Amino acid sequence: MGGTVSVEAAAPSRPMRADARRNYEAIVRVAGEAFAEHGTHASLDDIACRAGVGPGTLYRHFPNRDCLLEAALVESRYKLQELGARLLEADDAGAALDEWMLALARHANTWDGLADSIAQSLSNEKSPLGASCGTLVDATARLLEQARHQGAVTADVTARDLFVMSGSLAWAADRAARGSGEDELPRLLALLMRGIR
Amino acid sequence: MGGTVSVEAAAPSRPMRADARRNYEAIVRVAGEAFAEHGTHASLDDIACRAGVGPGTLYRHFPNRDCLLEAALVESRYKLQELGARLLEADDAGAALDEWMLALARHANTWDGLADSIAQSLSNEKSPLGASCGTLVDATARLLEQARHQGAVTADVTARDLFVMSGSLAWAADRAARGSGEDELPRLLALLMRGIR
DNA sequence: ACCTGAACACCGTTCAAGT
DNA sequence: ACCTGAACACCGTTCAAGT
């Protein structure tokens, strides 16, 4: 609790050689740019190259794509968890749940294809991305519990359901695209949330 | 209207050399198997090989992946359109719309990744898959119109919205996966449809 | 301990050469 | 007219060789 979670906190074991740490951070930074530009399927070779390291170095630090996605999302997810804690103390638990779902969907829309990567990782025992997203499901469970307590939600729905639905919402908003690049998320969310009251 | 739409109806121009037609049909058949096995991202090289043709032959008949998906879905979509026509004559337009949404979602779940391919193709001018899915959006519009007429739907929602949502539903059901391989579609659909009443 | 980059098996796509 | 398959530029991944 509290304190600052920096990118380095996600690094393995304890002591890291200076050059190793430098490479690690360069890879994460470049990866963020590449994912933003080409989606979560950006070429890992290209990321290694742009970070000035060989492909082997990338694979040493991040044995698979999920590991790299996870590392590149650490800060963003930390902010999300802060929001979750704040929303847990809100008066209107129903509105808090709405806001949380919207924040989850926006997070899943950080990069093209991220909603899919996250949802897939969720049922993958060995995925670090799935593991860390589990904490988001937990936060969702706490908010759902409160909303139920206040009678704001009566439908038979699980936290896992809601988490997956926030992803499907992100997926849908990306593809609804009615001409101009409007933000479809709030509209679609409202439609969905009416269903669980 | 009526009559039978066969796979061959999707073939280009009119006269087709016997060997060309044989290859065309072999590719479509094998593609269906490959998509079922590996999802819509199955290797095209592998499909060509398994169909006993060179990669060039596959590309001659299907310039891109969407063309092949479209060809492999012709029969399935024809059945869907028949259902749409039948539902248009149902008494309860609200229930008809529910059934239509479920059928759309099941169609999008024919193969892994198909919901994504379809949604993406929808905003692609030159995609034959997107073009043919446009007819499904049209059918959705007719059913939505009737449901509105009967007062079964009052929410501000377009046919395009509903079509995209059926895809996001398919997406979500594939990933909700609560342990056993249950069919999550009806449950999630019910949640969603409550939102547009 | 960590990095490098060649190497491998693959992929989508094109196109000159065949029939 | 249509097919073939070599060729190209890529990709993810591994691993022996370096420092």
Side-chain angles (χ1 to χ4, degrees):
Chain A
M1 292 291 166
T4 315
V5 172
S6 57
V7 169
E8 297 90 306
S13 342
R14 230 57 52 74
M16 213 168 170
R17 235 169 57 178
D19 57 343
R21 163 170 300 267
R22 204 164 34 236
N23 284 337
Y24 181 96
E25 288 170 5
I27 291 170
V28 170
R29 184 173 43 72
V30 169
E33 297 169 9
F35 291 146
E37 197 173 347
H38 300 111
T40 54
H41 284 84
S43 156
L44 299 184
D45 248 38
D46 181 56
I47 291 174
C49 181
R50 280 208 266 167
V53 303
T57 303
L58 187 148
Y59 276 89
R60 157 169 290 268
H61 287 302
F62 310 99
N64 55 56
R65 183 175 235 102
D66 268 19
C67 290
L68 187 50
L69 283 171
E70 154 61 17
L73 281 173
V74 165
E75 299 199 36
S76 167
R77 193 182 47 252
Y78 179 66
K79 281 181 197 159
L80 205 46
Q81 277 158 343
E82 276 187 333
L83 174 67
R86 213 158 51 232
L87 287 175
L88 208 51
E89 294 168 13
D91 291 333
D92 185 341
L97 188 59
D98 282 358
E99 192 177 336
W100 177 247
M101 288 290 285
L102 194 59
L104 280 182
R106 290 204 196 286
H107 179 252
N109 261 352
T110 306
W111 303 313
D112 201 63
L114 182 57
D116 217 78
S117 301
I118 287 179
Q120 217 112 38
S121 76
L122 219 56
S123 15
N124 182 348
E125 282 300 326
K126 294 168 301 188
S127 166
L129 183 60
S132 58
C133 285
T135 70
L136 295 178
V137 176
D138 294 342
T140 307
R142 287 191 290 271
L143 288 162
L144 174 58
E145 163 96 15
Q146 274 209 355
R148 240 194 258 283
H149 226 254
Q150 289 192 11
V153 170
T154 59
D156 176 29
V157 69
T158 68
R160 167 79 182 244
D161 287 339
L162 286 185
F163 187 80
V164 170
M165 278 173 160
S166 76
S168 91
L169 213 58
W171 185 96
D174 234 27
R175 284 147 187 83
R178 355 169 95 180
S180 62
E182 293 178 62
D183 183 8
E184 297 282 359
L185 232 26
R187 193 174 63 88
L188 295 177
L189 175 62
L191 245 34
L192 175 67
M193 294 307 271
R194 272 183 59 185
I196 67 165
R197 299 297 172 209
Chain B
M1 292 292 164
T4 315
V5 172
S6 57
V7 170
E8 297 89 307
S13 341
R14 230 55 51 75
M16 213 169 169
R17 235 169 57 177
D19 57 342
R21 162 170 300 267
R22 205 163 35 235
N23 284 337
Y24 181 96
E25 288 171 4
I27 291 170
V28 171
R29 184 172 43 72
V30 168
E33 297 169 10
F35 291 146
E37 198 173 347
H38 300 111
T40 53
H41 283 85
S43 156
L44 298 183
D45 247 37
D46 181 55
I47 291 174
C49 181
R50 281 207 265 167
V53 304
T57 302
L58 187 147
Y59 276 89
R60 157 170 288 268
H61 286 302
F62 310 98
N64 55 56
R65 182 175 236 102
D66 268 19
C67 289
L68 187 50
L69 284 170
E70 155 61 16
L73 281 173
V74 165
E75 299 200 34
S76 167
R77 193 183 47 253
Y78 179 65
K79 280 181 196 157
L80 204 47
Q81 277 158 344
E82 275 187 333
L83 174 68
R86 215 159 50 232
L87 287 175
L88 208 52
E89 295 168 12
D91 291 334
D92 185 340
L97 188 59
D98 281 0
E99 193 177 336
W100 176 247
M101 288 290 285
L102 195 59
L104 280 182
R106 289 203 196 286
H107 179 252
N109 261 352
T110 306
W111 304 313
D112 201 62
L114 182 57
D116 218 78
S117 300
I118 287 178
Q120 218 111 39
S121 76
L122 219 57
S123 14
N124 182 349
E125 282 301 325
K126 293 168 301 187
S127 167
L129 183 60
S132 58
C133 285
T135 69
L136 294 178
V137 176
D138 294 341
T140 308
R142 287 191 290 272
L143 287 163
L144 174 59
E145 163 97 14
Q146 273 209 354
R148 241 194 257 284
H149 226 255
Q150 288 192 12
V153 169
T154 60
D156 176 29
V157 68
T158 68
R160 168 79 182 243
D161 287 340
L162 286 185
F163 187 80
V164 170
M165 278 173 159
S166 77
S168 92
L169 213 58
W171 185 96
D174 234 27
R175 283 146 187 84
R178 355 169 93 181
S180 62
E182 292 179 63
D183 182 8
E184 297 282 359
L185 231 28
R187 193 174 64 86
L188 295 177
L189 175 63
L191 245 33
L192 175 67
M193 295 307 271
R194 272 183 60 186
I196 67 166
R197 300 297 173 209

